[in-house]
Amino acid sequence: MWRIRFLKFLLIIAVIIVGIRLFVIQIIEHGQWVEKAVAEHTLLETIMAERGQIYMMDVEEGPTAVAMNQKVYAVIIDPMVTDKEQIRQALEKHAKAEMTTDIDRIYKQEGLRYYIVARNVGKAVADEIAKEGILGVRFQQRTRRVYPEGEMASRLLGFVNEDGEGQYGVEGALNQRLKGEDGMLKTVADVNKVALSIGNDNIRKPAVNGENIVLTIDRGLERGVEDILAKVREKKVGAQVATIVMDPRNGQVLAMANLPNYNPAEYGRVKDATEYINYTTEIPYEPASICKTFTFATAIDKGVMKPETKYLNKGFLIVDGKKIENAYPGKIGEIDMQTALNYSLNTGSIQALKWLGGNETEITQEGRGELYNYFYNRFGFGVYTGIELYEALGVIPKPDEGYARDLTYATMTFGQGLNMTMIQAVAAFASIVNGGEYYRPTIVAGTMKGQEFRVAENNPVVRRVIEPETSEIMRRMLYGTRLRRRELGIDRRGYYVGGKTGTAQVVREGAYTEAKGETIASYIGFGGRELPEYVIMVKIWEEGKHLEGERDALPIFDEISNFVQNYFKIKPKV
């Protein structure tokens, strides 16, 4: 009897425990269990936004895509449903190159319900895997970035990484505009996580595709400029070359070339991340004697000198106990400022600084202040230009800070002791030759909506830099530096071309290299019929090599200048 009573007692206790547990589940924890049940049968899936394409202008064809999207698929499995050997065999058979991980490693992780086992699978391959009929396998459509022009303008364009994020160049700087916004699908799913088209709980947030951005870069011009630079590198194998072509009438960048290039579709093969850098906007450097253009423009605009104004050139000056010599002998004695520019005399640019301070023989605080005002506040050195790319700032020493201020500012007049990016120099130079108006440099011409090109808002004048009369005088002075090019027939009849060389010593271990040591060569100039229709800047350098503006950079400018005239069919003045 006692056994029967004991069993009844245990049964009663068990019923009570089950009842209490049912009460807890059905009443107290009801909401939590409903949420778990819903979660087991709910599929949350991202609807991928389509990345915007990038276009370049083309004088013949109009906007042409240079960064496009190719539809590909990611293969996704549910390890708790998908048979390991079946998916392994299917992937090794159809998509071995696209596999992202070792299958065994996935199945060692407990509770895993979602894993991408292959990326960038083409549609034909995805169809073959689907035919295998493996449970728990899904395909998510994605896009892979394709660059039909290959290596062309790669440092300008950048690339898109495996996570769909833009890196470097336009892809990186304008990533938010290009990538759009992903959508979301929430729906009831079966045991295999296959979406069902029933129920009232479906939520769909549409994806917002990225913008299709049209660059001001002209595809044919970019290709032609890079071909010219490639020929230079055939002769100077280790050299690096960078070039900007700008329309000075609106600030639009027409070409932006950096060689050597890389293939953005194979960005992972690059050995050094420095190969991604756009040297025209991201790397400041001491530009050397092209700065004489800005120094002379400042002095003329302030009314303290003219091209015919004379000074005594001794071939050297002593500033703060430091001897500064001319890089080239030039003419000793009393000479005018046009001659000083033609021979690129350091003594001439320092003399302009003295005149800015109202003194014939000494550099003054007032002169340093005037030069700083023009260089920093007007020409925009040491200030971001606002171009739609990653850019560096550069450094302009203040006139009342530091030691040996007179020496610092004396060397600044011919481009040492300060640094700037190529885009800063080009934008400032454009303002000097276009009548005195500074435009923000831009590479965005507009957007594409379907087949319609929508032009961006006009790029307004940011500020007046110098007076129109000063600009006219500077054009004549820069034109005067190219007499020899005209005599040789390099500057063709009917075209108005001017410019300035630069040969910059490089700072190594805190000191400038020797006079014939490593240097950076550059040239900046303009061209057109009467008024400037284009501005070109060329920079060439090679580690450990001595390069010169006139010998190495000037001929590149000449060839590009003539190419631009032909490409845009600029007719000579009769």
Side-chain angles (χ1 to χ4, degrees):
M1 276 304 281
W2 68 269
R3 291 181 179 177
I4 294 174
R5 291 175 182 175
F6 181 71
L7 290 173
K8 286 182 179 180
F9 177 75
L10 289 179
L11 181 61
I12 292 170
I13 295 298
V15 169
I16 292 173
I17 292 173
V18 171
I20 293 173
R21 185 57 184 156
L22 287 174
F23 178 80
V24 171
I25 292 173
Q26 293 180 345
I27 306 300
I28 298 176
E29 297 179 350
H30 175 75
Q32 297 177 25
W33 286 99
V34 168
E35 289 180 4
K36 289 182 179 180
V38 171
E40 284 293 318
H41 294 281
T42 300
L43 176 66
L44 290 175
E45 185 169 352
T46 300
I47 304 172
M48 305 296 290
E50 183 174 347
R51 190 174 183 84
Q53 299 189 142
I54 301 175
Y55 294 75
M56 285 184 181
M57 300 298 294
D58 191 293
V59 292
E60 299 293 337
E61 302 177 15
T64 304
V66 293
M68 306 168 65
N69 300 317
Q70 180 185 57
K71 289 183 179 179
V72 292
Y73 295 84
V75 182
I76 304 168
I77 67 169
D78 180 346
M80 294 184 69
V81 176
T82 307
D83 182 82
K84 181 172 72 170
E85 292 306 318
Q86 282 185 315
I87 190 62
R88 186 207 306 277
Q89 292 174 14
L91 291 173
E92 289 182 349
K93 179 181 178 182
H94 302 293
K96 189 171 184 177
E98 290 81 14
M99 290 176 64
T100 58
T101 188
D102 177 64
I103 297 297
D104 289 330
R105 189 176 66 83
I106 299 172
Y107 281 83
K108 289 178 181 178
Q109 302 179 51
E110 295 183 4
L112 196 62
R113 302 300 306 269
Y114 177 102
Y115 206 93
I116 296 175
V117 292
R119 297 179 188 269
N120 297 328
V121 172
K123 187 177 187 306
V125 173
D127 289 342
E128 289 299 319
I129 296 174
K131 288 178 183 178
E132 301 283 347
I134 306 170
L135 291 177
V137 176
R138 296 191 294 113
F139 300 90
Q140 186 178 69
Q141 181 176 301
R142 300 187 173 191
T143 58
R144 176 171 57 189
R145 208 58 159 172
V146 177
Y147 300 89
E149 299 293 335
E151 294 187 358
M152 188 189 82
S154 57
R155 293 186 188 234
L156 167 64
L157 293 174
F159 59 87
V160 178
N161 66 18
E162 286 292 331
D163 296 323
E165 295 294 322
Q167 305 288 302
Y168 298 90
V170 176
E171 296 277 28
L174 300 183
N175 185 55
Q176 292 302 314
R177 294 179 60 180
L178 287 164
K179 77 175 185 177
E181 184 178 352
D182 292 340
M184 180 63 69
L185 173 66
K186 177 182 179 182
T187 186
V188 176
D190 65 13
V191 67
N192 294 322
K193 292 294 181 179
V194 176
L196 303 175
S197 58
I198 59 174
N200 298 320
D201 294 329
N202 290 12
I203 298 174
R204 183 182 178 89
K205 177 187 175 185
V208 178
N209 292 334
E211 292 183 73
N212 296 317
I213 295 177
V214 182
L215 304 181
T216 59
I217 304 295
D218 185 281
R219 184 182 64 159
L221 180 64
E222 179 75 19
R223 175 68 69 188
V225 169
E226 291 196 11
D227 286 345
I228 292 171
L229 301 187
K231 292 177 183 177
V232 172
R233 294 195 71 248
E234 288 177 3
K235 299 176 181 178
K236 303 179 188 297
V237 178
Q240 294 183 290
V241 197
T243 297
I244 298 175
V245 182
M246 176 184 283
D247 187 335
R249 299 165 296 187
N250 53 27
Q252 290 188 355
V253 178
L254 307 176
M256 183 175 277
N258 294 260
L259 260 65
N261 280 333
Y262 67 95
N263 187 342
E266 300 176 347
Y267 65 88
R269 296 187 178 184
V270 169
K271 296 179 181 179
D272 189 331
T274 59
E275 295 182 44
Y276 300 140
I277 293 174
N278 182 346
Y279 282 101
T280 66
T281 64
E282 297 177 47
I283 302 297
Y285 82 112
E286 295 191 357
S289 289
I290 68 168
C291 256
K292 292 184 173 101
T293 304
F294 308 114
T295 301
F296 281 33
T298 300
I300 291 171
D301 202 57
K302 292 300 296 182
V304 298
M305 65 162 266
K306 298 178 180 179
E308 60 272 18
T309 305
K310 295 184 177 181
Y311 80 103
L312 180 61
N313 173 39
K314 297 180 180 179
F316 69 93
L317 287 169
I318 304 296
V319 181
D320 284 342
K322 174 76 172 181
K323 185 178 183 181
I324 300 176
E325 299 180 279
N326 292 323
Y328 305 98
K331 294 184 178 180
I332 303 299
E334 192 175 71
I335 61 173
D336 60 38
M337 297 303 286
Q338 178 67 61
T339 302
L341 187 63
N342 292 348
Y343 285 92
S344 194
L345 302 182
N346 296 338
T347 56
S349 60
I350 295 172
Q351 186 62 50
L353 174 61
K354 293 176 179 178
W355 288 331
L356 281 171
N359 197 300
E360 186 70 30
T361 60
E362 300 293 332
I363 298 172
T364 66
Q365 168 71 22
E366 182 182 354
R368 297 197 306 269
E370 288 289 1
L371 193 68
Y372 179 82
N373 178 48
Y374 272 78
F375 275 27
Y376 183 79
N377 294 315
R378 299 201 182 196
F379 296 135
F381 304 144
V383 179
Y384 293 121
T385 67
I387 193 170
E388 305 91 342
L389 289 169
Y390 298 125
E391 59 175 328
L393 201 56
V395 176
I396 305 295
K398 293 184 178 180
D400 54 356
E401 293 181 358
Y403 299 97
R405 299 169 189 169
D406 289 345
L407 176 61
T408 297
Y409 267 71
T411 59
M412 277 174 54
T413 67
F414 53 84
Q416 285 188 347
L418 78 171
N419 60 38
M420 65 186 70
T421 61
M422 289 180 68
I423 194 64
Q424 288 174 338
V426 169
F429 186 86
S431 71
I432 284 179
V433 300
N434 71 5
E437 296 178 328
Y438 186 96
Y439 289 92
R440 176 182 64 85
T442 178
I443 58 160
V444 176
T447 57
M448 291 292 291
K449 297 289 185 180
Q451 299 300 313
E452 180 187 358
F453 171 41
R454 298 187 179 181
V455 181
E457 295 182 2
N458 289 335
N459 193 28
V461 174
V462 176
R463 58 184 175 272
R464 172 160 290 284
V465 174
I466 56 175
E467 294 302 315
E469 296 79 7
T470 303
S471 178
E472 182 179 356
I473 293 171
M474 286 305 305
R475 288 197 297 270
R476 290 202 308 267
M477 292 190 76
L478 293 166
Y479 175 78
T481 66
R482 294 184 62 89
L483 174 62
R484 183 59 178 161
R485 314 309 278 182
R486 292 190 293 276
E487 291 175 346
L488 293 172
I490 295 171
D491 288 352
R492 299 176 295 187
R493 292 178 60 86
Y495 294 99
Y496 198 70
V497 182
K500 184 71 189 72
T501 58
T503 303
Q505 291 174 274
V506 176
V507 176
R508 295 292 185 201
E509 298 179 356
Y512 287 107
T513 55
E514 297 178 358
K516 291 299 180 180
E518 183 181 347
T519 52
I520 299 173
S522 56
Y523 190 89
I524 192 166
F526 68 87
R529 294 180 69 224
E530 295 179 89
L531 294 175
E533 298 175 55
Y534 58 86
V535 165
I536 301 169
M537 184 174 182
V538 175
K539 174 185 169 186
I540 179 170
W541 68 103
E542 183 177 355
E543 187 174 350
K545 294 295 180 67
H546 179 81
L547 301 173
E548 296 180 359
E550 184 169 358
R551 184 190 67 197
D552 299 294
L554 174 55
I556 304 173
F557 170 89
D558 294 339
E559 190 168 355
I560 294 176
S561 177
N562 290 335
F563 177 77
V564 171
Q565 293 167 9
N566 293 333
Y567 183 79
F568 287 120
K569 297 180 174 60
I570 301 174
K571 295 181 179 179
K573 181 181 178 182
V574 179

